[in-house]
């Protein structure tokens, strides 16, 4: 469209529809801004705008159409979605435009976001799920702290420094129609184009933001040490764990090799040592059979594939008691070495079947379809991955 906004949709039967915006902005775009400002933007999703004074006003506007909103934020994109009855399409599109290009962000909302982030950081100290911190560290090491290697979690030292002017600077630089894909699932494409042109006009396409240079995989190491004792929960304290993540460069989500990495990710599988269930829970994946079932001191072992536009990162995250930290590293290295060895027919077919099942299940969720279409319609790539 003249504003640079891209519009895509897919027909789907059902009584509800979903419309959303996939925005090419995240922690990777913090280059000229304060570290952690993207984390604030995550907390400020669907806040006060030029037309809606608060989130309560947005909820009231959606209520007649049974609507609800949500947002998901990644290192490279943000996904803003509204699900409602089909006759609420125009209202939903207007709310998206208000949230994405007419945000006001009152002082009270910014302070609430600051408190929410502070609570998250405190929960990490109290022994909450450490996966976000581990993922931050492995990305920082893989990409030398640049682009998608920037920390997604706001650093403690930046928490009190980020001001409203910092937030508005990041917002005006990156929240532009030329960085957005307006996506509809279960909507009329003509109506979506009409409302997109009405609420995302071309005179709003200007901005001073600069596109990030291509991400370059460098490899490296990142360590964090914390001697803080775990908190007491009931009569016993939480276990002290060492968390390890080892990875290598994989492929972008548009490359031919992407499907192969998805199969490999499913084949390796993994999870926690206290998981229960059958093959559908991944109990027959390699990390269960060769790690969790073999080494009683391993608390968790999970394979993860992180695909992006230009690159990707394949990792195995694991945790154990600190006394077994070095042993855990050796176990993970052995698993990576064995990836290059033989794969028997049974485990390969099982992984392919599980992946197909997951893909077919995802087709039942409008929000997942919306994100997939939005990512595939980005300004650098236009062809969807073919599984």
């Amino acid at each position: 469209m003249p504003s640079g906004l891209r519009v895509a949709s897919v027909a789907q039967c059902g009584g509800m529809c979903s419309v959303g915006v996939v925005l090419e902005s995240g922690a990777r775009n913090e280059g000229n801004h304060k570290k952690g400002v993207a984390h604030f933007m995550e907390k400020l999703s669907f806040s006060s705008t030029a037309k809606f004074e608060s989130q309560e006003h947005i909820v009231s506007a959606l209520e007649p159409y049974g609507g609800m909103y949500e947002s998901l934020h990644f290192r490279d994109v943000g996904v803003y979605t509204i699900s409602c009855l089909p006759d609420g399409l125009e209202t939903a599109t207007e709310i998206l435009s208000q949230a994405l290009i007419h945000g006001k962000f009152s002082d009270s909302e910014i302070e609430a976001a600051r408190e929410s982030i502070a609570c998250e950081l405190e929960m990490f100290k109290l022994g909450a799920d450490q996966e976000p911190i581990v993922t931050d560290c492995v990305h920082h090491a893989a990409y030398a702290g640049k682009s998608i290697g920037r920390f997604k979690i706001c650093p403690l030292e930046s928490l009190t420094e980020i001001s409203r002017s910092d937030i508005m600077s990041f917002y005006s630089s990156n929240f532009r129609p030329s960085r957005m894909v307006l996506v509809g699932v279960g909507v009329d494409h003509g109506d979506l184009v009409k409302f997109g042109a009405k609420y995302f006009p071309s005179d709003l396409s200007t901005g001073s933001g600069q596109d990030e240079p291509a991400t370059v995989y460098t490899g490296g190491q990142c360590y964090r040490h914390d001697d803080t004792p775990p908190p007491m929960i009931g009569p016993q304290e939480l276990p002290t764990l060492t968390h390890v993540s080892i990875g290598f460069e994989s492929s972008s989500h548009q490359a031919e090799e992407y499907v192969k990495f998805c199969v490999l990710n499913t084949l390796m599988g993994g999870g926690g040592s206290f998981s229960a269930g059958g093959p559908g829970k991944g109990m027959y994946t390699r990390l269960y059979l060769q790690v969790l079932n073999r080494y009683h001191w391993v608390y968790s072992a999970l394979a993860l594939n992180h695909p992006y536009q230009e690159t990707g990162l394949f990792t195995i995250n694991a945790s154990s008691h600190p006394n077994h930290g070095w042993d855990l590293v050796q176990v993970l290295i052995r698993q990576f070495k064995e990836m290059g060895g033989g794969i028997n027919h049974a485990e390969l077919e099982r992984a392919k079947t599980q992946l197909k099942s997951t893909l077919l299940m995802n087709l039942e969720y409008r929000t997942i379809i919306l994100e997939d279409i939005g990512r595939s319609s980005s300004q650098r790539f236009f062809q969807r991955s073919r599984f």
Side-chain angles (χ1 to χ4, degrees):
M1 301 185 71
S3 64
L5 178 75
R6 287 144 286 163
V7 182
S9 68
V10 61
Q12 188 182 63
C13 297
M16 299 287 286
C17 71
S18 291
V19 59
V21 170
V22 177
L23 170 70
E24 295 176 359
S25 178
R28 70 171 298 169
N29 301 98
E30 288 181 349
N32 298 323
H33 304 272
K34 285 189 178 179
K35 296 178 181 179
V37 67
H39 198 172
F40 272 78
M41 295 308 307
E42 175 181 343
K43 299 298 182 182
L44 291 168
S45 300
F46 292 102
S47 294
S48 60
T49 70
K51 182 174 181 178
F52 301 99
E53 296 181 3
S54 66
Q55 291 182 336
E56 288 74 17
H57 287 80
I58 294 177
V59 172
S60 297
L62 288 173
E63 190 173 9
Y65 309 104
M68 62 184 71
Y69 63 81
E70 65 175 330
S71 64
L72 298 172
H73 297 263
F74 306 91
R75 317 185 83 82
D76 55 340
V77 301
V79 184
Y80 297 75
T81 308
I82 294 177
S83 298
C84 62
L85 295 170
D87 56 353
L89 176 60
E90 181 173 5
T91 298
T93 307
E94 181 182 17
I95 291 174
L96 287 169
S97 74
Q98 286 287 315
L100 287 159
I101 56 181
H102 297 292
K104 294 299 182 183
F105 311 124
S106 66
D107 291 338
S108 61
E109 289 171 332
I110 293 173
E111 289 308 311
R114 199 186 314 276
E115 292 178 7
S116 178
I117 294 173
C119 182
E120 281 187 23
L121 299 180
E122 186 65 24
M123 288 300 294
F124 288 137
K125 288 183 179 180
L126 294 177
D129 181 20
Q130 300 295 303
E131 190 275 332
I133 294 179
V134 174
T135 301
D136 255 8
C137 288
V138 74
H139 277 78
H140 186 81
Y143 301 102
K146 299 178 180 179
S147 188
I148 60 173
R150 295 191 176 99
F151 290 119
K152 185 173 181 286
I153 301 171
C154 178
L156 183 60
E157 58 270 17
S158 297
L159 184 59
T160 58
E161 296 179 356
I162 293 177
S163 64
R164 185 177 186 277
S165 61
D166 298 320
I167 292 171
M168 294 306 298
S169 174
F170 183 85
Y171 183 74
S172 60
S173 296
N174 294 282
F175 284 59
R176 296 175 287 150
S178 58
R179 288 178 176 265
M180 301 175 187
V181 183
L182 178 63
V183 184
V185 179
V187 305
D188 180 86
H189 186 75
D191 289 341
L192 188 62
V193 171
K194 179 177 67 175
F195 298 143
K198 179 178 179 180
Y199 295 110
F200 293 86
S202 57
D203 59 352
L204 295 172
S205 62
T206 59
S208 59
Q210 297 294 322
D211 289 333
E212 281 287 320
T215 304
V216 178
Y217 177 86
T218 61
Q221 300 174 344
C222 180
Y223 301 96
R224 282 196 181 183
H225 186 70
D226 189 357
D227 286 326
T228 305
M232 295 292 294
I233 304 295
Q236 293 183 335
E237 65 180 22
L238 292 173
T240 299
L241 298 176
T242 290
H243 300 269
V244 176
S245 180
I246 301 177
F248 59 87
E249 186 178 22
S250 57
S251 72
S252 75
H253 51 61
Q254 298 296 319
E256 291 293 332
E257 292 79 12
Y258 175 55
V259 179
K260 300 174 185 178
F261 278 105
C262 289
V263 175
L264 177 62
N265 186 30
T266 306
L267 185 146
M268 297 304 295
S273 59
F274 298 103
S275 294
K281 292 293 291 292
M283 299 294 282
Y284 285 87
T285 58
R286 278 197 179 186
L287 291 181
Y288 264 110
L289 295 176
Q290 299 182 16
V291 178
L292 290 161
N293 293 349
R294 187 173 298 178
Y295 304 100
H296 66 89
W297 41 266
V298 177
Y299 276 71
S300 65
L302 179 65
L304 296 167
N305 187 37
H306 306 273
Y308 301 101
Q309 287 184 340
E310 311 100 319
T311 181
L313 188 63
F314 188 96
T315 68
I316 297 180
N317 296 359
S319 61
S320 71
H321 189 276
N323 291 344
H324 293 281
W326 177 247
D327 299 326
L328 181 62
V329 172
Q330 298 305 306
V331 168
L332 297 187
I333 291 175
R334 191 177 307 120
Q335 288 300 309
F336 278 109
K337 288 182 177 179
E338 292 180 0
M339 286 181 192
I343 298 177
N344 65 58
H345 179 74
E347 66 175 344
L348 177 61
E349 290 303 311
R350 183 185 297 117
K352 291 165 66 175
T353 301
Q354 281 185 284
L355 180 58
K356 291 176 184 177
S357 174
T358 301
L359 290 170
L360 292 174
M361 180 64 72
N362 286 344
L363 292 177
E364 300 293 326
Y365 297 93
R366 294 187 305 274
T367 53
I368 295 179
I369 296 174
L370 188 150
E371 180 188 341
D372 179 55
I373 294 174
R375 283 181 176 271
S376 301
S377 302
S378 67
Q379 63 188 48
R380 297 181 181 88
F381 299 98
F382 293 90
Q383 183 178 1
R384 297 184 65 185
S385 298
R386 295 181 178 179
F387 280 83

